[in-house]
Amino acid sequence: MFEHLPITRADDGSYRTVDGGTFRVDETHRSTAERVADMTGGDDAVHPDGAGLHEADPERDEQLHDIDIDPVTRVAGSLAFHANVDLEERTVREAHAQATLFRGYEIILEGRDPRDAIDLSSRACGVCGAVHSICSSMALEMALPVEPPPMGVWARNMGQAAAFLYDNSLHLHLLAGPDYSAAMMADTNPDLLATARETAAPHADIHGYETVGEIMEGLNPLEGDLYLSALEKTRDARQMASLMLGKYPHPSTIAPGGVTTTLSRSSFTQFYTRLDDMFDWAKQVAYLWDDLMDFMLEEQAGFEHVGEHPKNMIGTGVYDDPDVYNARYEDADEWGNARLATPGVVVDGELVTTNLTEIDIGMEEFVDHAYYEDWTDEAVPFETSPAGDPLSPYHPWNKETRPKPDGKSWRERYTWGTAPRWDRHTMECCPHARLWITALAEEVDNPFIRPTGDGIEFDLPEADLEAMTLRWDVPDRLNAAERLRGKAYALAHHALVCYTGFIESLELLKGGEDAVHTEFSIPKRGTHRGVGFWEAGRGFLTHHLTLEDGLIDNYQIVTPSTWNSSPTGPFGQSGPFEVGAMNTPILEDFDGEDDFSAIDILRGVRSFDPCMPCTVHMYTAGGNDVISENVTMTTCGCSTGSDDKPAEVTLREMLADD
């Protein structure tokens, strides 16, 4: 399956494969025009890897403009974005995504009691902390080992699905939605807004907005009906998550072996009273975003290229079957394929695997353009996985986090985000990837969720609206429109997982199976490994840990936004944010550079739903700033102390007495 062999980096800057071969990565990347000339797809071609860096061309560079958006608003956390734009040809020549604060959780967790990881890793994000708690607990379940009872599994599934109802609703209507609001369109695309006001919305009978223009009015920040309705729905969804997990966003009830929540028939009754309303919300949101995105694709020439990326996607799957899940690595392929959202990898639109062990061993993480030092100068801790498959030196179980904030240019290092790759491919992830993989795999066996190979059918029960079947179709392209459409249809998926869990949990209660937790103990001697395979609201999530004599020896987190916001890797591939920007045409109306808002670039970036707290985590105040000279390069003030020690040393000293 794998085209490439694990590599190590030589002193001369070349890379060495395990079979003794060598190659060097060319640091000079081709321009967009050169890449397009090599492609056979004409105007519909997708730039496969991004421009990265380019050679100076004085004549052409006179019409190029550097656009620095710092911070990117309406995203979670600190993201800066640089683009080199040709305003005359309305193209983006270069793009760079910057995670501007340092992530230190891997260092924070070193040497701690393993149980601390559940609560501390939850703080990786203030929006979706439960996903990290669950993923951490699953990594520990594998390392210990311990298996949760069925009710504990369903509590995690239902709490997580409810949290996704919150998270996806928030992104669609409060973060990305304003990009398509009447208030925004009036400034950037007034003619398109005028057309929208005259265009009937095909599904008005379901979502209640008679024209596409009314949908855009509904998305107006702070005052639009849809914006305000979404706020109410996010509150209801958080209450649902709290009923299963005790509280949200940082539940203290998640542990290896299940949960410690007290659940009763009353808990499930309160859960369902809110879920019933979510069925109608899922119906309305799916058709509303269908109408809006179909309008944009039909009426805005070139919109199909906004945020476009090759059809390379990765997901770990989510929602376990308690009859199959046992937390063991050796059985991960079986319990992974039994999930209600299937794990998998899609390359060039083709599903290449759904096995968690193959997804795992294909992972590598690189830092060539990130503020970290390469760690492969030391012996590889693990040459194989627990199942005996070979691991790269760049696999998370072999990675060591070594902050090194030096080099301050696009050609050197420019972000605190790393560059994960799968089988050397750049991958993106999000709810659309989850649906895409699940549809192609056809593994899910559920009466309400039916993958068909080219889509998924969702049977939503009657609430105020009649029962109906929604169908999400696998798209022909992967772009901003399909990311948003996929996230809208994902609400139906989450609601039906909650519905399935409600039915199954009542059956367990009826049979007296109300245990939610299995006791466990921490081994005091020896080396133990575990990995949590889970998904966040934006998709793929893993926690790899190693225990040594009862304490955490190494801990590595790979999040969805680590994949999506990754910088250029060692093979010249730009990250998905960057590639999406370079495929984006400039469609907005403007008279000159001063009137240019870069809204099309931002629509592409925000369609990924960036969550930068999950990508980067720690700011240390005081002392000499390591990176501060160029505000367009970064907003990071990551100090290392008055004696200007390396960031890694300062962090370890700060945490030594904790």
Side-chain angles (χ1 to χ4, degrees):
M1 168 174 294
F2 301 107
E3 300 175 3
H4 307 289
L5 292 168
I7 62 173
T8 56
R9 194 171 192 175
D11 293 339
D12 64 358
S14 67
Y15 290 83
R16 186 177 305 278
T17 63
V18 293
D19 64 353
T22 62
F23 64 94
R24 181 182 296 276
V25 177
D26 184 2
E27 289 288 354
T28 302
H29 300 265
R30 298 176 297 157
S31 69
T32 300
E34 290 170 325
R35 289 195 321 280
V36 173
D38 288 344
M39 301 178 70
T40 58
D43 292 338
D44 290 334
V46 182
H47 305 164
D49 53 18
L53 311 168
H54 73 283
E55 292 294 329
D57 182 348
E59 293 185 6
R60 181 176 176 81
D61 286 355
E62 287 182 1
Q63 67 189 52
L64 300 180
H65 302 268
D66 276 330
I67 306 298
D68 293 287
I69 307 165
D70 187 1
V72 177
T73 57
R74 286 187 277 116
V75 304
S78 299
L79 171 66
F81 202 83
H82 164 266
N84 187 250
V85 181
D86 187 329
L87 294 181
E88 292 185 19
E89 294 191 8
R90 290 178 168 260
T91 59
V92 180
R93 189 177 182 187
E94 283 188 15
H96 299 91
Q98 295 175 274
T100 59
L101 295 176
F102 171 57
R103 169 163 122 178
Y105 277 83
E106 291 88 350
I107 295 173
I108 292 170
L109 289 169
E110 256 183 48
R112 286 185 175 270
D113 186 299
R115 290 163 291 195
D116 289 349
I118 296 171
D119 291 325
L120 290 177
S121 68
S122 173
R123 272 65 184 176
C125 184
V127 177
C128 51
V131 300
H132 290 287
S133 294
I134 293 173
C135 197
S136 182
S137 71
M138 296 180 79
L140 285 168
E141 283 171 355
M142 186 178 291
L144 297 181
V146 59
E147 180 180 341
M151 185 69 84
V153 174
W154 278 118
R156 293 199 303 208
N157 288 343
M158 295 169 69
Q160 189 63 80
F164 287 167
L165 286 168
Y166 158 85
D167 187 88
N168 294 174
S169 298
L170 179 86
H171 174 244
L172 284 170
H173 305 106
L174 278 70
L175 302 181
D179 286 339
Y180 304 92
S181 67
M184 180 66 74
M185 288 288 183
D187 289 336
T188 63
N189 307 88
D191 292 343
L192 194 62
L193 176 60
T195 302
R197 286 174 169 154
E198 300 298 322
T199 302
H203 298 99
D205 58 325
I206 296 172
H207 55 63
Y209 294 89
E210 294 298 326
T211 67
V212 175
E214 287 184 14
I215 296 174
M216 292 178 174
E217 295 284 352
L219 289 170
N220 280 341
L222 303 180
E223 59 184 19
D225 291 341
L226 189 52
Y227 186 100
L228 296 174
S229 294
L231 282 174
E232 293 295 325
K233 301 304 180 187
T234 58
R235 179 177 64 181
D236 292 343
R238 281 218 158 174
Q239 290 173 346
M240 291 168 65
S242 296
L243 284 164
M244 292 296 106
L245 302 177
K247 70 184 184 73
Y248 206 88
H250 302 299
S252 55
T253 58
I254 297 171
V259 298
T260 60
T261 320
T262 300
L263 297 176
S264 64
R265 289 183 179 272
S266 175
S267 305
F268 292 103
T269 300
Q270 294 179 65
F271 187 92
Y272 190 84
T273 59
R274 293 162 176 82
L275 175 60
D276 191 55
D277 192 44
M278 289 297 170
F279 295 140
D280 282 352
W281 177 242
K283 299 166 191 172
Q284 293 166 335
V285 170
Y287 284 123
L288 184 150
W289 280 89
D290 263 345
D291 289 353
L292 180 56
M293 290 298 99
D294 286 346
F295 170 82
M296 292 294 297
L297 290 166
E298 291 168 8
E299 299 295 336
Q300 179 72 78
F303 184 68
E304 69 273 16
H305 296 300
V306 171
E308 190 166 17
H309 188 266
K311 292 182 284 187
N312 293 347
M313 290 160 282
I314 192 167
T316 39
V318 68
Y319 308 134
D320 285 307
D321 182 339
D323 293 332
V324 184
Y325 175 71
N326 64 7
R328 296 183 182 277
Y329 189 94
E330 294 81 356
D331 299 325
D333 294 345
E334 182 180 358
W335 51 259
N337 276 287
R339 288 178 158 179
L340 290 178
T342 308
V345 175
V346 172
V347 178
D348 295 331
E350 299 294 327
L351 184 66
V352 297
T353 186
T354 62
N355 291 330
L356 282 173
T357 58
E358 293 181 354
I359 295 170
D360 184 44
I361 65 173
M363 287 177 59
E364 294 176 295
E365 196 171 356
F366 300 102
V367 294
D368 296 67
H369 290 280
Y371 294 127
Y372 301 93
E373 183 179 5
D374 190 281
W375 58 88
T376 57
D377 56 342
E378 296 184 358
V380 175
F382 300 103
E383 295 184 353
T384 63
S385 74
D389 296 311
L391 294 180
S392 165
Y394 293 91
H395 185 274
W397 264 322
N398 290 322
K399 181 191 172 190
E400 182 182 349
T401 301
R402 298 181 179 180
K404 188 179 181 181
D406 63 359
K408 296 180 285 292
S409 74
W410 307 127
R411 188 174 294 280
E412 298 175 300
R413 303 172 189 271
Y414 59 88
T415 179
W416 284 104
T418 62
R421 299 291 184 263
W422 188 86
D423 195 27
R424 306 290 157 79
H425 294 291
T426 301
M427 293 283 162
E428 71 168 80
C429 47
C430 223
H432 66 274
R434 186 185 303 133
L435 296 183
W436 208 309
I437 293 165
T438 300
L440 295 180
E442 296 186 83
E443 291 283 351
V444 171
D445 182 14
N446 181 277
F448 315 113
I449 305 164
R450 294 189 306 279
T452 61
D454 57 356
I456 308 179
E457 295 176 348
F458 301 105
D459 291 339
L460 289 162
E462 180 180 5
D464 288 338
L465 293 174
E466 64 182 8
M468 64 181 67
T469 297
L470 303 183
R471 179 179 171 83
W472 176 85
D473 291 307
V474 172
D476 294 328
R477 315 183 79 104
L478 177 50
N479 53 23
E482 299 307 336
R483 289 187 195 99
L484 296 172
R485 192 197 308 269
K487 184 160 283 189
Y489 274 83
L491 295 181
H493 194 181
H494 308 322
L496 291 172
V497 170
C498 290
Y499 191 38
T500 302
F502 174 78
I503 294 169
E504 294 290 335
S505 295
L506 290 185
E507 287 298 314
L508 290 170
L509 286 175
K510 188 186 301 183
E513 297 183 57
D514 57 356
V516 294
H517 184 258
T518 302
E519 293 297 322
F520 67 93
S521 60
I522 303 295
K524 299 301 183 183
R525 295 288 181 268
T527 302
H528 303 267
R529 277 188 289 172
V531 53
F533 298 109
W534 200 239
E535 294 216 3
R538 294 142 186 88
F540 182 106
L541 179 66
T542 57
H543 285 215
H544 285 78
L545 64 82
T546 304
L547 306 183
E548 192 68 43
D549 294 338
L551 298 176
I552 296 173
D553 184 61
N554 192 16
Y555 204 100
Q556 297 294 328
I557 304 171
V558 180
T559 69
S561 289
T562 313
W563 290 92
N564 291 338
S565 71
S566 69
T568 303
F571 317 107
Q573 304 157 311
S574 298
F577 285 6
E578 299 171 339
V579 173
M582 284 182 279
N583 281 314
T584 296
I586 304 304
L587 306 176
E588 68 174 286
D589 297 333
F590 62 94
D591 295 325
E593 184 179 4
D594 291 342
D595 299 321
F596 178 64
S597 71
I599 184 60
D600 299 297
I601 297 172
L602 290 171
R603 282 174 179 151
V605 171
R606 278 196 280 255
S607 71
F608 287 93
D609 192 8
C611 186
M612 307 317 290
C614 282
T615 304
V616 290
H617 296 309
M618 182 174 285
Y619 172 87
T620 58
N624 298 322
D625 289 339
V626 173
I627 303 168
S628 60
E629 294 92 328
N630 185 347
V631 71
T632 66
M633 281 294 300
T634 180
T635 55
C636 178
C638 189
S639 292
T640 60
S642 58
D643 51 358
D644 202 25
K645 298 175 183 176
E648 180 183 12
V649 173
T650 300
L651 282 168
R652 293 184 190 282
E653 290 179 351
M654 289 169 57
L655 300 167
D657 296 328
D658 191 350

